[in-house]
Amino acid sequence: MIGDLLTVSYRSRVCLADPVADLLGIVQASRVRNLRLGITGILLYNGFHFVQTIEGPQNACRELFARISEDPRHSDIVAFGVRKIERRRFPDWSMRLISRAELLETMPELRLLDLKEPQDIERLHGRVLVELSY
């Protein structure tokens, strides 16, 4: 529904006991749940932080972000992009993981994921779409 779409972007510190297994579990569960809820987005991981953008129906995005905020695999969560949108940036990705290796290879200047402002996430989205749309 146009007008009912929301995007939420946040950065969090990663708290993973087994990074490989935990990331695999997060992505697998997210893809199933997000497909059911009509949510799309990206998840960037640099070994220390997540930067995630989710987009979809307002209620679904708000509920998902509330669940993420309670998830012990995240700490120091900072939301820096919550707004209504007309169209999705990532309509074909139920949850696209951009791993540390992929991030360093294609966008080395983003290795710290030091994003603090809404315009930072817009630049990141543009770069992801140019560099990693396949």
Side-chain angles (χ1 to χ4, degrees):
M1 286 179 142
I2 294 184
D4 188 41
L5 293 176
L6 187 73
T7 184
V8 177
S9 297
Y10 71 89
R11 179 179 184 216
S12 69
R13 184 173 304 280
V14 174
C15 304
L16 303 176
D18 181 347
V20 173
D22 289 347
L23 280 173
L24 183 61
I26 288 169
V27 171
Q28 288 176 336
S30 294
R31 287 181 176 158
V32 170
R33 180 193 57 242
N34 292 354
L35 188 60
R36 181 176 42 84
L37 296 175
I39 291 176
T40 57
I42 57 171
L43 175 63
L44 286 81
Y45 171 69
N46 71 351
F48 306 100
H49 295 96
F50 285 129
V51 170
Q52 184 172 30
T53 297
I54 58 174
E55 54 191 15
Q58 289 186 44
N59 288 341
C61 284
R62 290 182 194 284
E63 289 173 18
L64 178 57
F65 184 66
R67 286 182 58 190
I68 290 167
S69 296
E70 297 296 321
D71 189 321
R73 297 173 292 193
H74 300 270
S75 68
D76 303 327
I77 296 174
V78 177
F80 53 90
V82 179
R83 62 185 172 83
K84 291 182 179 182
I85 54 175
E86 291 289 320
R87 64 179 179 78
R88 296 171 189 260
R89 300 277 315 247
F90 309 102
D92 300 323
W93 295 343
S94 61
M95 186 46 57
R96 168 74 156 82
L97 172 66
I98 299 170
S99 69
R100 180 179 186 195
E102 193 171 23
L103 185 65
L104 289 173
E105 181 180 323
T106 58
M107 296 176 276
E109 72 279 9
L110 294 176
R111 70 186 175 280
L112 299 178
L113 292 176
D114 192 21
L115 308 172
K116 295 182 175 77
E117 302 294 330
Q119 59 267 27
D120 293 337
I121 196 68
E122 289 304 317
R123 282 194 298 275
L124 174 65
H125 288 167
R127 188 73 187 272
V128 164
L129 288 167
V130 167
E131 299 287 337
L132 299 171
S133 288
Y134 51 83

